[in-house]
Amino acid sequence: MNGRPDAAAVEAARNLEEMKRMREIEEEILARAPENDIGPSLGRIRAVMELAGDPQRSYPSIHLTGTNGKTSTSRMIDSILRETGLSTGRFTSPHLHDIRERITLSGKPIPRDKFIAAYEEIAPLVEIVDARSLESGGRRMNFFEVLVALAYAAFADAPVDVAIIEVGLGGSWDATNVIDAQVAVITPVDLDHTNLLGNDVVSIAEEKSGIIKADSVTVSGVQDEDVARVLLDRVEEVGGSRIVFEGNDFGVLAREVAIGGQQVSLRGLAGEYADLFLPLHGAHQASNLATAVAAVESFLGGGEQPIDAEVLTAACAAMTSPGRLEIVRRSPTVLVDAAHNPHGARSLVAALEESFAFTRLVGLVGIVADKDATGMLEVLEPVLDHVVITRSSSPRAMRPEQLGALAVELFGESRVTVVRNLPDALEQAVTLAESDGMGAGVIATGSVITAAEVRMLLGLTDV
């Protein structure tokens, strides 16, 4: 022996140091105001970006907003662009298991060393902006603003060929909105975050339309007529921009259920794409795919150049959307879905009815306190034989007793079980499903955190 540590020992020590530093950084970021505690201003994030040399202007971008489907559509766009040979950066939220999921490089969560390097690059700048803001009676940057700054710096450092950026909340005042994206994507707009964005779809659409910039293309999912008018007005206001709508300019031509997903034919902006296998369930995912294809056509060829058929076929076959109607166990089948508002619940119910034929379906439901719990339960009630009410570990989770009382009003006492502890609730839901023999299932839903924690309890942490 020469007394020198071998390569494996050196690597292990380095990994340990990185993990320790990651924990410290996470604690520092989490000590800030949460991402839903927003101050409606882009001043702080703009200031940090300027101090950093505006890294977000060093690559082209695609910017996404909407009520539901943003993350799935972002992942689809990412998959297609990577299949064409481009290196991508993707920023989405929230994460299921690991904060690094929010920032991906070419489809993979950002490596720890690159996350640490980007944080250490922007942290001193954040401190300067915090100090200035506090001096003038303002506030420190919140959790989400710091992550946006970190992501934009990491994408410049990589460097990426294109960034796919999902808003955190809304649009105009969202911290991501310091980019001038070549393509803006707006998935269907419905009611959510009404305490922050407004009590009607027009107010919400006005906030979300703020990501539409001059000289860009806007790709919109199917919208309410009033929402479409808001988007059209915004396109006209910024100038040099155009907008295309699903159902009018592009869309789903045909789809049928297939083993493990669905077979989809699309009309894009520049061509038709037949018989694509999409390993995701539900009409909403087919619509998300149509939107993603139109966004990529707009980005790569101004909407006039079709995507190579082999590229698109390969990209679709590789698409995943963890936590979105995802099978996480079999016998009995346990699915998780991150639906957290009535609009998402309606998509979930339609997909369940179309793609699965359970003899008995038990719901495992935990909802965040500021969400429309009654609206969600009303949508779920017709498809659930029984519902087990619980809560996730989130401090914002609704108390099970309170949620249970709402459920009893809709389901009746005999169809509701309240179990405060999520692991025990999952066990109870599985037991109830198994009591019906073969062919029963469990759907765990109500929030992203509920879906994530059930996933983790069943041994899944990959994304």
Side-chain angles (χ1 to χ4, degrees), residues 103-381:
I103 303 168
T104 70
L105 296 173
S106 291
K108 305 275 189 204
I110 183 171
R112 282 191 299 263
D113 62 334
K114 292 186 183 298
F115 187 101
I116 291 165
Y119 180 77
E120 290 178 345
E121 181 184 333
I122 62 117
L125 312 180
V126 168
E127 284 181 23
I128 292 167
V129 171
D130 280 347
R132 285 181 191 166
S133 181
L134 291 169
E135 274 174 29
S136 60
R139 52 193 287 165
R140 295 171 77 221
M141 293 179 72
N142 72 6
F143 166 90
F144 187 73
E145 289 172 309
V146 172
L147 278 182
V148 169
L150 196 158
Y152 286 168
F155 295 157
D157 291 342
V160 301
D161 296 322
V162 53
I164 303 116
I165 308 294
E166 176 192 323
V167 305
L169 193 64
S172 295
W173 300 112
D174 187 75
T176 61
N177 202 29
V178 288
I179 52 172
D180 291 323
Q182 284 74 3
V183 178
V185 176
I186 303 182
T187 66
V189 173
D190 209 299
L191 295 175
D192 197 15
H193 300 292
T194 51
N195 57 322
L196 297 168
L197 301 179
N199 290 314
D200 57 86
V201 290
V202 169
S203 301
I204 292 171
E206 285 171 349
E207 170 63 20
K208 291 182 186 293
S209 72
I211 72 163
I212 298 172
K213 305 294 171 62
D215 304 316
S216 66
V217 180
T218 299
V219 177
S220 173
V222 174
Q223 305 292 2
D224 174 282
E225 190 177 328
D226 293 335
V227 170
R229 173 48 53 197
V230 169
L231 302 184
L232 286 162
D233 288 348
R234 171 67 180 177
V235 166
E236 189 176 337
E237 177 193 331
V238 299
S241 188
R242 67 189 182 97
I243 186 166
V244 291
F245 286 95
E246 181 187 354
N248 187 38
D249 304 285
F250 67 92
V252 179
L253 292 175
R255 51 181 294 274
E256 57 183 58
V257 175
I259 295 170
Q262 56 189 307
Q263 205 77 13
V264 182
S265 294
L266 304 176
R267 174 168 65 96
L269 299 174
E272 292 190 1
Y273 309 95
D275 299 325
L276 299 165
F277 175 67
L278 177 64
L280 301 171
H281 301 286
H284 62 296
Q285 293 290 20
S287 286
N288 289 340
L289 178 60
T291 302
V293 165
V296 171
E297 288 176 320
S298 299
F299 179 78
L300 291 178
E304 295 178 2
Q305 183 180 322
I307 301 166
D308 179 84
E310 287 185 12
V311 164
L312 188 55
T313 298
C316 289
M319 286 174 182
T320 60
S321 195
R324 277 75 182 174
L325 203 56
E326 178 189 20
I327 297 172
V328 292
R329 173 184 159 161
R330 296 188 187 274
S331 190
T333 298
V334 177
L335 299 127
V336 297
D337 191 83
H340 53 275
N341 52 45
H343 184 264
R346 287 193 292 273
S347 295
L348 165 60
V349 165
L352 282 169
E353 293 182 322
E354 175 186 84
S355 301
F356 298 91
F358 294 117
T359 55
R360 174 179 172 83
L361 184 59
V362 177
L364 176 62
V365 178
I367 299 176
V368 173
D370 62 357
K371 297 294 182 179
D372 181 3
T374 299
M376 284 196 68
L377 291 170
E378 283 173 347
V379 174
L380 293 170
E381 188 274 332

